[in-house]
Amino acid sequence: MPKSRSTAPSPRTSAKVASPGKSPAKTPSAKQSAKKLATTAPAQARKSPEKAGPLAVKKAGIPSAKSTAAAKASLPPKAPVKPAPVAKSTPKPTAKAAPKPATPTPKRPAASRKPAPAPSKPLHPLLEIGPTEPVADETQIFCFENVSPSVDQGLWAAKREVGDVLEVEADIWMYGHEKYECWFEIRPEHGTWVRHPLEKTENDRWKGSCTLDQVGLMEFRVGGTWLKNGQESSSHAYDLVVDPVIARFGSWYTMWPRSQGTDPTRSATWDDCIARLPEIASMGFQVLYVPPVHPIGKTNRKGRNNNVKSLPGEPGCPYAIGNEHGGHDAVDPELGTMEDFERFIAACEQHGMHVALDIALNASPDHPYAKDHPDWFYREADGTIKYAENPPKKYEDIYAFHYFGPDTEGMWRELLRLHLFWASKGIRIFRIDNPHTKPFIFWQWLIRETKKRCPDAVFLAEAFTRPKPMKRLAKLGFQQSYSYFVWREKAADLRAYVEELTGTPEREYMRPNFFTNTPDINPHHCQDHGRPAFLVRTALASLLCPSWGMYNGWELCEATPVPGREEYLDSEKYQYKTWDWDRPGHIKDWIRLMNEIRNTHPALQEWHNIRFLDCTDPEILAFVKTHGDDRLLVVINCDYTRTRDGWIDPPWGELGIQGAPYHVTDLVTKQRWQWNAGANWVQLDPAICPAHVFRIG
């Protein structure tokens, strides 16, 4: 039991004191005091003594009811206590009740105290926003997708020809249910935009068109106008190259200038070449292509049949460019002067033919560049200049340029100057030798810079390489490409190849040229099957593709090979040569007829308008080509060895057939037949007439 205190009682146990003049208030009983103390005790000690036990009461520091009463009884009488001032927040006592003495405010039990604010928790990482992309404005309210024409989503330029109708399509919409109209704009690069309307078709697809009336680097974009407030939005610009028609349609004749004379011991001249132009033009050609016409190197000069050593008097290979008479901007003095060459160019134009010049970026050890700019070439480990190669071929007579050497800019600008130099002489078509062996980025730069200054320039890539590099060259700017046609023989293979090139996306950027042969390629089918093979391959090349070509000697069915190889024996690449242009067995009349049909029928001058048909004979290739009212059905026997026949069911709608029976005229034989509804029968002899070109009506 706790000892009695000799000091004044704790405020918690003090008796209430009456106001002055009044009798003291009644002192609460011990039981009431204990009850009051219990209500102000800490939460853990609020249990009654009976339930909590003495230990709990003692620990809580609260006297029990019994001890409190005994302690009060032993205290001496108290002196009157002056009332304490009343706090402002204490309510005023009523008139009836005696004012209560001020007592210290008891501490709030721990369980009822307002906890101190906890330290703030870090934000969730997702809520720490940080910097953002710039917000959009109303110029970006439209969505543009699947814009056509485009190549790799606009990474490369699509190609068209002057006079074409450019058809533009795009998926366009904006949010909500607002009303809007759509359009496309076109301009020369950095020029003024010209707007044309787009019409809505279905599923948010919009279409429009315009006629292309100038050549050059162009760009177009699609856009929309919000009719509510006139706000407009447009896509990014898509590149478009508009080329002259010769980039799509033309028959190419390869002339080897020094072989156009009559003396096998010396080179022909430009005058000899001019003398041959009437006959070449009479066969219907639009392009006359010549190999490099520059001075030929003497160091390591190649001899007859590509012998690594030449004999005295042998002319060497014209692809080994440069000697003491000059380099890429000079003319071989054996052929004549620069003025003679310019007369040759003018004469070709008078006969309706363009001149295509072979640009071979090679240099012989005797080239002025090798002396003046030795850092433009690759070097071996021992410091000597490295010879060129195109595996498995090696060229000991030429050096290869180093396109990223110490003077990259100077060399690139000089090569650009060469192209512009020849353009100033009237050359607009450049046949580029082996472009796949040079950096692709160089060609992209050079073609673009040339087209800026000479918008009607045309570049043909002589790249017999893998499909993807070949297509990349077309994407980056080459207007035409050599193709695999020379190695596609079966009807099914030819059909698959043409369908690939006329499909999407190749149709937007790749224009093949179906050459039947080249100075480097003597096809094995011509070696093995003679004149019928020449007739069949001429028909296939000229009727399938709007651009086709041949190398002189094809019209004479020349196919004498280097044994076991697809190369010509006694090739004029390495020696002087003459030809009998009227020797027996020639096919000049057949070539003339194919070109005449091509030149007079627009359907054969287009590339994307071909549709193949099935035939009961797998080696008869049948297809339809239409352009406006010009509707043709073509059938060709692809077998050089025997006559083939089969049944074909012409598509009436595409050919404009109104009903049966109907008439067809063969433009090859000039014969006219009456055909009935359904399938009709054809027969073709490769030795006599391997092709029919039927005009309906």
Side-chain angles (χ1 to χ4, degrees):
M1 185 173 182
K3 296 180 180 180
S4 299
R5 300 181 183 180
S6 58
T7 58
S10 166
R12 292 188 180 185
T13 58
S14 297
K16 294 183 179 179
V17 180
S19 300
K22 291 189 177 183
S23 58
K26 186 177 181 179
T27 303
S29 66
K31 188 174 181 180
Q32 290 173 330
S33 299
K35 184 176 180 181
K36 183 176 181 180
L37 287 170
T39 61
T40 61
Q44 64 268 28
R46 286 183 188 171
K47 297 180 182 179
S48 64
E50 293 79 10
K51 292 183 180 181
L55 182 61
V57 173
K58 185 175 182 179
K59 285 184 177 179
I62 303 174
S64 65
K66 186 183 288 188
S67 62
T68 302
K72 293 184 74 162
S74 62
L75 290 174
K78 300 177 183 174
V81 179
K82 186 177 181 179
V86 179
K88 290 183 180 181
S89 60
T90 305
K92 293 181 180 180
T94 63
K96 294 181 180 181
K100 295 181 180 180
T103 57
T105 303
K107 291 183 179 180
R108 185 180 298 172
S112 62
R113 282 186 209 144
K114 185 176 181 180
S120 60
K121 296 180 179 180
L123 286 174
H124 190 284
L126 290 178
L127 300 179
E128 296 178 358
I129 296 177
T132 69
E133 297 285 338
V135 298
D137 56 30
E138 285 190 336
T139 62
Q140 301 179 46
I141 57 177
F142 282 90
C143 299
F144 307 103
E145 292 184 356
N146 302 316
V147 177
S148 173
S150 67
V151 180
D152 293 350
Q153 300 298 316
L155 181 61
W156 308 104
K159 295 184 176 76
R160 293 295 186 271
E161 300 82 45
V162 66
D164 278 358
V165 173
L166 174 67
E167 297 180 348
V168 175
E169 299 185 17
D171 297 335
I172 307 175
W173 69 92
M174 67 174 293
Y175 63 87
H177 303 283
E178 303 293 334
K179 293 184 178 181
Y180 55 92
E181 61 185 18
C182 297
W183 38 264
F184 76 95
E185 294 177 323
I186 188 169
R187 68 177 181 179
E189 198 171 67
H190 309 304
T192 301
W193 290 109
V194 177
R195 181 168 293 189
H196 302 275
L198 289 171
E199 299 295 332
K200 190 172 184 179
T201 56
E202 60 181 13
N203 195 22
D204 292 311
R205 191 67 173 169
W206 295 74
K207 298 182 179 181
S209 63
C210 69
T211 300
L212 301 171
D213 57 4
Q214 66 181 95
V215 298
L217 303 176
M218 310 286 286
E219 54 187 0
F220 74 94
R221 64 186 182 186
V222 297
T225 303
W226 188 4
L227 297 181
K228 178 179 179 179
N229 59 7
Q231 181 65 54
E232 294 191 335
S233 178
S234 67
S235 69
H236 65 80
Y238 290 79
D239 289 335
L240 178 73
V241 177
V242 183
D243 294 310
V245 174
I246 198 65
R248 182 195 70 235
F249 170 71
S251 303
W252 291 52
Y253 184 91
T254 306
M255 169 191 277
W256 206 262
R258 70 185 181 197
S259 299
Q260 305 305 306
T262 57
D263 186 346
T265 65
R266 66 173 181 84
S267 171
T269 66
W270 290 118
D271 285 331
D272 294 323
C273 296
I274 291 172
R276 282 219 62 224
L277 295 181
E279 181 180 51
I280 296 171
S282 74
M283 287 188 282
F285 289 98
Q286 286 85 30
V287 179
L288 196 146
Y289 149 54
V290 294
V293 298
H294 320 298
I296 300 172
K298 297 177 180 178
T299 300
N300 296 334
R301 175 175 282 190
K302 292 293 186 73
R304 187 184 182 101
N305 287 316
N306 201 21
N307 195 301
V308 294
K309 292 185 178 181
S310 63
L311 298 176
E314 289 185 324
C317 179
Y319 289 90
I321 299 169
N323 63 25
E324 69 274 14
H325 298 292
H328 284 76
D329 54 2
V331 172
D332 187 352
E334 287 198 345
L335 290 169
T337 65
M338 182 65 74
E339 290 73 21
D340 295 332
F341 183 52
E342 292 180 73
R343 284 195 299 106
F344 170 77
I345 295 172
C348 287
E349 293 175 352
Q350 291 170 4
H351 285 87
M353 294 185 291
H354 305 271
V355 174
L357 179 62
D358 195 327
I359 299 293
L361 295 184
N362 311 310
S364 83
D366 308 313
H367 198 294
Y369 291 160
K371 177 182 178 182
D372 299 336
H373 303 281
D375 55 339
W376 288 3
F377 303 93
Y378 284 104
R379 292 187 175 274
E380 300 284 8
D382 62 2
T384 59
I385 296 178
K386 183 179 181 180
Y387 292 108
E389 59 182 340
N390 182 21
K393 298 178 181 179
K394 293 186 177 181
Y395 307 115
E396 297 85 356
D397 54 343
I398 57 176
Y399 292 152
F401 285 107
H402 184 7
Y403 289 85
F404 300 103
D407 186 22
T408 296
E409 183 176 358
M411 191 190 82
W412 285 30
R413 291 177 65 89
E414 169 62 9
L415 298 181
L416 171 61
R417 185 194 69 82
L418 293 177
H419 288 78
L420 299 177
F421 171 81
W422 290 112
S424 72
K425 300 295 183 182
I427 301 295
R428 288 295 184 273
I429 305 176
F430 301 98
R431 181 267 196 190
I432 305 299
D433 186 66
N434 287 334
H436 58 290
T437 63
K438 287 83 176 171
F440 284 19
I441 189 65
F442 165 75
W443 294 119
Q444 183 178 343
W445 175 86
L446 184 133
I447 293 173
R448 181 173 176 79
E449 293 299 323
T450 303
K451 293 284 282 186
K452 285 180 181 178
R453 298 159 176 81
C454 188
D456 57 345
V458 173
F459 287 77
L460 167 64
E462 187 257 352
F464 292 109
T465 183
R466 303 180 307 282
K468 289 182 179 178
M470 181 183 287
K471 291 179 180 179
R472 183 57 176 260
L473 288 168
K475 288 180 180 180
L476 64 81
F478 279 92
Q479 278 67 43
Q480 282 195 11
S481 305
Y482 276 61
S483 67
Y484 301 137
F485 166 78
V486 72
W487 296 290
R488 299 292 188 269
E489 299 181 64
K490 297 292 185 180
D493 294 338
L494 285 162
R495 176 174 178 171
Y497 187 51
V498 172
E499 287 179 334
E500 173 192 343
L501 297 181
T502 56
T504 303
E506 286 81 1
R507 64 182 297 161
E508 300 294 356
Y509 65 85
M510 190 168 185
R511 303 186 188 104
N513 195 320
F514 281 9
F515 268 86
T516 57
N517 66 330
T518 76
D520 299 305
I521 302 173
N522 179 8
H524 70 86
H525 43 258
C526 293
Q527 300 175 24
D528 300 337
H529 301 293
R531 192 174 186 274
F534 284 86
L535 294 174
V536 169
R537 298 299 293 183
T538 300
L540 287 168
S542 61
L543 299 175
L544 276 171
C545 188
S547 288
W548 81 287
M550 51 166 275
Y551 159 52
N552 67 198
W554 178 266
E555 67 268 45
L556 305 178
C557 300
E558 174 60 37
T560 306
V562 173
R565 304 178 69 173
E566 280 192 330
E567 297 181 19
Y568 288 99
L569 185 66
D570 298 331
S571 169
E572 56 194 348
K573 284 172 40 176
Y574 309 104
Q575 65 186 66
Y576 297 126
K577 196 164 187 173
T578 59
W579 298 91
D580 176 2
W581 300 110
D582 293 310
R583 78 184 190 187
H586 67 75
I587 60 168
K588 291 189 292 183
D589 291 338
W590 180 251
I591 295 169
R592 183 178 295 110
L593 177 59
M594 293 296 103
N595 278 338
E596 179 184 300
I597 295 172
R598 285 164 46 88
N599 295 341
T600 55
H601 285 274
L604 295 174
Q605 299 171 18
E606 298 291 333
W607 177 231
H608 306 146
N609 61 338
I610 191 168
R611 179 193 167 190
F612 288 95
L613 308 176
D614 294 328
C615 180
T616 55
D617 188 306
E619 286 308 314
I620 291 181
L621 188 68
F623 56 90
V624 169
K625 279 202 165 194
T626 64
H627 184 75
D629 294 332
D630 189 28
R631 301 181 176 92
L632 302 176
L633 169 61
V634 181
V635 290
I636 306 172
N637 180 1
C638 297
D639 186 349
Y640 323 118
T641 63
R642 67 183 182 89
T643 299
R644 293 270 186 169
D645 62 82
W647 294 85
I648 298 171
D649 190 357
W652 283 29
E654 291 180 56
L655 293 173
I657 300 171
Q658 301 299 320
Y662 57 94
H663 291 91
V664 298
T665 301
D666 182 13
L667 302 177
V668 178
T669 64
K670 312 304 182 190
Q671 292 178 291
R672 185 175 173 85
W673 289 282
Q674 179 175 290
W675 280 10
N676 298 313
N680 287 271
W681 183 76
V682 294
Q683 184 181 61
L684 296 160
D685 183 346
I688 301 174
C689 181
H692 290 314
V693 181
F694 294 116
R695 185 184 65 222
I696 309 302

